[in-house]
Amino acid sequence: MACSKIETNKKTRESAASSMATVEPDWSQLPTDILILISERIDNEIDLIRFRSICSNWRSSSIPIHHTNILPFKFPLPKLPFAIDSINKNTSFRYLSKRSIFLIKPPPQQDQTLILRPWLIKITQNSSGKTKLSQSSLISIHKTNSLAFHFPYMLDFNKLSVLNLGCEFIVEEDSRYRADCIYPEKVIVATTFYGSKPLALSMIRSYQCLILFRCSDGHCSVFPDVSTFIADICFFKQRIYAVDRIGRTVIVGLEEEEDSSVQLVAEPLVDSGDMKYLVESEGKLLLVDIDHDNLRIDVFMLDDKGRKWVKLKNLRDRVLFLGDGCSFSASASDLCVPKGNCVIFMNNIFFFSYMKMEYGMSIFHLDQGHRQLSPLYRHPEYFKLFWPPPEWIVKSCIPS
């Protein structure tokens, strides 16, 4: 009898433990303060959309006031004649638009022989919050191709696997174009910590200067320490980096209490080329050095402790995409291309040096020696990343 009672109690305990183990937590009932903290740390629109689509509680806890939303952003354009001393008096303000670069990945396939390719797109959000699919510089159709950019469908990112690869900010076009304003080659907009007001750093190569604009006080500062030819700027690990034509690299001071100052993080390169691009890849900051005359392209990784650029022999699986407004990287496996270890130039930077590049984008394979630059359209496995849209995406947009 006693044995039977013990056995019954044991079964009761096991049943209760089993029931507790199978009870799933109700994530929709997370406390509001925790949901706010999570949503504040979401740094791109796609993840925020997905976060808010979970349930009404998550949606109401991530309203825009809780989220670090940079737009709308009024940006100062210096007027001619340009003078550092009068930069806060002689300006005209314009709104910025944000262009985000996404890779739409194909769904998993049971049939391994069926290869579906992804699609690289650029989505523009203007100051009023409206979005559109942009052609911009991501698509350079060569002149023998009569295809025009046209995608009349609505993309539902909640149903697609999407990677956010980067973004850029551009001055919005309007009918009030002013010829007396100086337009920057590149603009970075960022926040230095959660809840802070955004700031913008613009690069103006023609006047060899970087201009920092803080929303908190509406004040512009010029960085006089960057005295040589400015090649590129980028936002990396909550800091803004700037590199000049010879490879000297600095971090720009951004904190509210800091003056307009720079901190050296890498000495100039030896035997440097005439063009530089900064790009993040797998959590590392890379520098692409280009010598137009000899068509030499080298890639370096920042060694911040040694304050130098270390030359890389191979990018392995990585593909670098370089552009004037934004540079980014992705793996060859995510892109579904034959191999990485190559650089794709999204702007026609070689037009004047090599007329064969007249068709726009180009590709350089680092493992094929020097002078292996060719138009991207000659490599359809890479060119089709941009255009036309994959058939599986078109079908997914058409109501069944």
Side-chain angles (χ1 to χ4, degrees):
M1 189 77 168
C3 184
S4 176
K5 208 175 218 183
I6 293 172
E7 195 68 34
T8 301
N9 290 339
K10 181 179 178 183
K11 288 182 178 180
T12 303
R13 288 195 302 270
E14 288 177 350
S15 177
S18 177
S19 298
M20 291 178 62
T22 58
V23 173
E24 295 185 0
D26 186 358
W27 296 107
S28 67
Q29 298 305 312
L30 278 176
T32 300
D33 54 346
I34 293 179
L35 290 171
I36 292 174
L37 288 173
I38 295 173
S39 69
E40 284 178 342
R41 285 157 175 77
I42 298 175
D43 59 1
N44 68 79
E45 296 84 353
I46 300 302
D47 288 344
L48 182 62
I49 290 172
R50 288 173 171 166
F51 180 88
R52 300 188 70 194
S53 67
I54 298 298
C55 63
S56 59
N57 185 33
W58 288 34
R59 184 161 52 253
S60 62
S61 301
S62 58
I63 56 178
I65 193 172
H66 296 317
H67 189 254
T68 307
N69 191 6
I70 289 176
L71 299 180
F73 189 98
K74 264 196 169 182
F75 179 74
L77 297 178
K79 290 183 181 179
L80 295 171
F82 179 77
I84 293 178
D85 296 339
S86 61
I87 193 169
N88 283 293
K89 300 177 182 178
N90 193 26
T91 57
S92 176
F93 282 83
R94 294 277 293 277
Y95 281 109
L96 293 179
S97 289
K98 180 182 180 181
R99 286 178 176 167
S100 299
I101 299 165
F102 301 107
L103 179 69
I104 303 178
K105 298 176 62 177
Q109 295 297 306
Q110 293 182 349
D111 184 359
Q112 299 299 320
T113 62
L114 181 63
I115 300 177
L116 301 180
R117 61 183 176 86
W119 191 25
L120 270 172
I121 62 171
K122 187 178 277 190
I123 301 288
T124 299
Q125 179 186 5
N126 65 18
S127 56
S128 61
K130 294 182 178 179
T131 60
K132 68 174 183 178
L133 185 64
S134 303
Q135 173 182 353
S136 187
S137 59
L138 272 187
I139 301 174
S140 297
I141 304 296
H142 62 84
K143 65 182 181 181
T144 61
N145 196 328
S146 60
L147 288 174
F149 179 80
H150 182 61
F151 188 78
Y153 307 106
M154 185 74 70
L155 290 170
D156 187 352
F157 281 179
N158 282 319
K159 298 179 180 179
L160 298 169
S161 176
V162 181
L163 290 180
N164 189 330
L165 298 179
C167 71
E168 61 184 343
F169 292 87
I170 59 170
V171 178
E172 287 188 2
E173 298 179 358
D174 60 27
S175 57
R176 298 171 298 170
Y177 175 81
R178 299 183 60 111
D180 62 339
C181 288
I182 304 172
Y183 289 78
E185 284 81 7
K186 190 172 184 178
V187 178
I188 292 176
V189 181
T191 53
T192 54
F193 56 90
Y194 301 117
S196 66
K197 291 186 177 181
L199 47 81
L201 185 75
S202 60
M203 178 176 69
I204 303 178
R205 289 195 185 104
S206 54
Y207 289 91
Q208 304 300 301
C209 69
L210 298 175
I211 300 176
L212 179 68
F213 173 72
R214 289 189 173 96
C215 280
S216 57
D217 58 11
H219 184 77
C220 290
S221 304
V222 178
F223 289 86
D225 296 336
V226 187
S227 56
T228 56
F229 187 90
I230 303 165
D232 198 13
I233 56 177
C234 79
F235 191 59
F236 174 70
K237 292 186 177 179
Q238 298 300 308
R239 307 300 295 267
I240 292 182
Y241 289 73
V243 62
D244 64 22
R245 191 170 183 173
I246 60 176
R248 177 177 177 264
T249 309
V250 297
I251 290 178
V252 178
L254 298 180
E255 301 300 335
E256 297 290 340
E257 64 271 12
E258 290 181 359
D259 295 327
S260 300
S261 60
V262 296
Q263 173 190 346
L264 182 69
V265 293
E267 299 287 351
L269 296 175
V270 177
D271 191 22
S272 173
D274 57 337
M275 184 173 288
K276 307 282 187 295
Y277 284 96
L278 294 171
V279 56
E280 181 179 358
S281 180
E282 297 184 296
K284 304 292 184 181
L285 185 61
L286 305 185
L287 172 67
V288 181
D289 180 42
I290 304 166
D291 183 346
H292 271 83
D293 294 336
N294 300 304
L295 194 53
R296 188 187 74 231
I297 299 175
D298 295 314
V299 182
F300 299 82
M301 182 178 68
L302 179 64
D303 175 8
D304 48 2
K305 292 183 179 180
R307 290 172 56 171
K308 62 182 178 180
W309 290 105
V310 179
K311 188 174 180 179
L312 298 179
K313 295 181 179 180
N314 197 303
L315 292 174
R316 301 187 302 278
D317 187 47
R318 305 301 292 180
V319 178
L320 306 184
F321 295 81
L322 306 183
D324 289 340
C326 176
S327 297
F328 58 93
S329 69
S331 68
S333 54
D334 281 335
L335 297 170
C336 298
V337 293
K339 63 176 183 175
N341 199 30
C342 61
V343 180
I344 292 177
F345 295 95
M346 297 181 292
N347 299 105
N348 201 359
I349 67 171
F350 296 100
F351 177 77
F352 295 105
S353 302
Y354 303 92
M355 294 305 290
K356 66 179 181 179
M357 293 299 110
E358 61 181 322
Y359 295 147
M361 294 186 292
S362 53
I363 185 169
F364 188 92
H365 290 282
L366 295 171
D367 58 353
Q368 295 180 2
H370 298 321
R371 311 192 70 84
Q372 292 297 320
L373 183 76
S374 60
L376 190 64
Y377 74 86
R378 293 182 183 173
H379 301 263
E381 64 275 23
Y382 296 92
F383 184 80
K384 287 181 179 179
L385 289 169
F386 302 93
W387 192 257
E391 186 177 348
W392 70 268
I393 290 182
V394 175
K395 288 182 177 179
S396 71
C397 297
I398 300 175
S400 54

